[in-house]
């Protein structure tokens, strides 16, 4: 049996581990778009802050792949899934065959269109270790950082950079921090706490235009900017699934066995839309424990 997994994060690796537990002889291959072994994405802010090194944020080391006889192909994006012939074309020019395929491609950053954003060469998202490493290389104590988004990703980026740069300004359309989960009173308490770290907030506002060394907000205020971090949110990465003709709504649609609409193709993790037993509705439930258990399933 040939098992092929697209994605090397929590859903993909938990799937590979469970396959090996049940099948000692099958061939397992993981395709990873990234150049690093599996690591904890929530820890990239602590890496940027200097609290952990890149080795400590890895949760699957070389021994894991070797002991479970897993072939990992790094720096290889899945470009196309040929479900009829059971093959996946990789960005390295090779084709990978499968009997059973798991799509565990996670999330990708959502970057809204902003006028002049191409003028700021130091524009980043903050979802991958690669993002943190790129930001780490260019920040100085004179950097003026604008973060668009006051959700978890934006606040973690601000936390990582606090005390390392000249200024941090967080801009958000909502009237409070983490608006999807906090009420106004709680959000205000957290905001006041973070402001003690010299982080400024511009709420009920947005970046209307980006210049080479500044941004202009919706209210007309101009702020200095030589690093722009877009942390508006994420969306399911369904690109590979669409090439196979798999049913996709907001995320890849799966049943209780994590099967997609195409036979022998499964999906798990942040890229899927699955049943939320509390609301009895299909939702994208992008949480680490969910991804782990979905991968095992």
């Amino acid at each position: 049996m040939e098992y092929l997994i697209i994605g090397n994060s929590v859903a993909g690796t938990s799937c590979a581990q469970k396959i090996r537990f049940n099948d000692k002889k099958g061939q397992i291959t993981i395709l990873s778009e990234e150049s690093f072994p599996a690591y904890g994405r929530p820890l990239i802010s602590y890496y940027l802050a200097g609290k952990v090194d890149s080795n400590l944020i890895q949760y699957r080391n070389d021994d894991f792949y070797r002991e479970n006889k897993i072939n990992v192909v790094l720096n290889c994006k899945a470009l196309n899934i040929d479900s009829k012939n059971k093959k996946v074309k990789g960005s390295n020019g090779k084709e990978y065959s499968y009997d059973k395929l798991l799509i565990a491609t996670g999330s990708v950053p959502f970057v809204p269109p902003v006028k002049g954003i191409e003028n700021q060469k130091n524009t980043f998202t903050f979802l991958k270790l690669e993002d943190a490493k790129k930001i780490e290389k260019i920040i100085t104590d004179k950097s003026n950082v604008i973060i668009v988004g006051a959700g978890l990703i934006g606040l973690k980026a601000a936390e990582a950079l606090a005390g390392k740069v000249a200024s941090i300004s967080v801009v958000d359309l909502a009237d409070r921090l983490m608006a999807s989960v906090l009420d106004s009173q709680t959000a205000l308490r957290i905001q006041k706490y973070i402001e003690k770290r010299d982080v400024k907030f511009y709420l009920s506002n947005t970046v209307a235009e980006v210049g080479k060394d500044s941004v202009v907000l919706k209210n007309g205020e101009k702020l200095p900017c030589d690093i722009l971090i877009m942390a508006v949110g994420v969306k399911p990465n369904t690109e590979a699934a669409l090439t196979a003709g798999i049913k996709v709504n907001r995320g890849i649609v799966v049943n209780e066995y994590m099967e997609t609409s195409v036979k022998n193709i499964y999906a798990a993790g942040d890229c899927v839309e699955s049943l939320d037993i509390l609301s009895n509705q299909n939702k994208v439930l992008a949480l680490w424990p969910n991804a782990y258990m979905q991968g095992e399933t």
Side-chain angles (χ1 to χ4, degrees):
M1 183 75 75
E2 286 186 307
Y3 304 97
L4 183 60
I5 298 170
I6 304 173
N8 189 38
S9 193
V10 58
T13 56
S14 68
C15 175
Q17 186 175 31
K18 198 66 172 181
I19 288 172
R20 185 55 74 216
F21 179 80
N22 289 294
D23 182 349
K24 305 300 182 186
K25 296 181 180 179
Q27 179 182 319
I28 304 173
T29 300
I30 295 179
L31 304 183
S32 175
E33 190 175 341
E34 297 191 66
S35 56
F36 310 101
Y39 62 90
R41 290 193 195 282
L43 295 176
I44 66 170
S45 60
Y46 302 113
Y47 167 81
L48 184 56
K51 294 180 179 179
V52 298
D53 62 31
S54 55
N55 291 327
L56 284 176
I57 74 172
Q58 291 180 17
Y59 69 93
R60 303 291 196 187
N61 58 27
D62 292 340
D63 290 340
F64 167 80
Y65 298 103
R66 185 167 53 252
E67 289 169 3
N68 288 284
K69 298 178 182 177
I70 300 167
N71 175 36
V72 183
V73 184
L74 301 178
N75 295 306
C76 181
K77 179 180 180 180
L79 300 178
N80 183 70
I81 299 171
D82 179 354
S83 58
K84 183 178 179 180
N85 296 303
K86 293 186 178 180
K87 292 181 183 294
V88 173
K89 184 177 181 180
S91 58
N92 58 2
K94 296 181 180 179
E95 283 192 333
Y96 298 87
S97 58
Y98 67 87
D99 294 306
K100 303 285 184 181
L101 172 67
L102 174 73
I103 302 173
T105 44
S107 299
V108 289
F110 169 67
V111 180
V114 180
K115 183 180 178 182
I117 195 169
E118 68 280 359
N119 294 325
Q120 179 49 262
K121 64 177 183 178
N122 295 325
T123 299
F124 305 94
T125 53
F126 197 65
L127 191 64
K128 298 180 178 181
L129 179 57
E130 182 183 11
D131 300 327
K133 284 181 174 288
K134 286 179 178 178
I135 295 169
E136 179 186 38
K137 284 182 180 179
I138 66 166
I139 57 169
T140 72
D141 57 4
K142 295 181 175 60
S143 298
N144 296 298
V145 180
I146 302 291
I147 299 172
V148 181
L152 272 175
I153 295 174
L155 295 183
K156 282 173 72 67
E159 178 191 29
L161 294 171
K164 291 177 172 287
V165 296
S167 69
I168 301 172
S169 301
V170 181
V171 185
D172 200 293
L173 271 172
D175 63 353
R176 62 190 187 276
L177 277 60
M178 296 175 61
S180 63
V181 293
L182 297 183
D183 60 27
S184 298
Q185 184 178 4
T186 310
L188 184 59
R189 292 186 68 178
I190 293 175
Q191 179 180 337
K192 288 180 177 178
Y193 177 82
I194 298 174
E195 284 173 338
K196 293 177 182 178
R197 300 290 303 275
D198 294 326
V199 177
K200 293 183 179 179
F201 290 93
Y202 297 83
L203 303 175
S204 300
N205 217 326
T206 189
V207 173
E209 186 173 355
V210 178
K212 187 177 180 181
D213 54 9
S214 65
V215 298
V216 178
L217 303 185
K218 181 180 68 173
N219 65 0
E221 192 168 355
K222 190 174 183 179
L223 303 176
C225 172
D226 39 55
I227 296 175
L228 177 64
I229 298 176
M230 302 298 290
V232 177
V234 297
K235 58 183 181 180
N237 184 357
T238 61
E239 186 180 355
L242 290 170
T243 68
I246 291 170
K247 184 179 179 182
V248 173
N249 290 330
R250 182 163 176 250
I252 302 169
V253 178
V254 293
N255 63 16
E256 62 186 303
Y257 303 103
M258 309 313 296
E259 295 171 319
T260 70
S261 60
V262 175
K263 190 177 180 180
N264 296 313
I265 300 182
Y266 302 75
D270 291 7
C271 62
V272 308
E273 188 175 300
S274 57
L275 181 66
D276 174 11
I277 61 174
L278 295 179
S279 65
N280 202 35
Q281 294 178 325
N282 276 9
K283 293 181 179 179
V284 177
L285 302 168
L287 295 170
W288 187 276
N290 289 358
Y292 187 91
M293 290 184 286
Q294 287 172 353
E296 279 201 327
T297 301

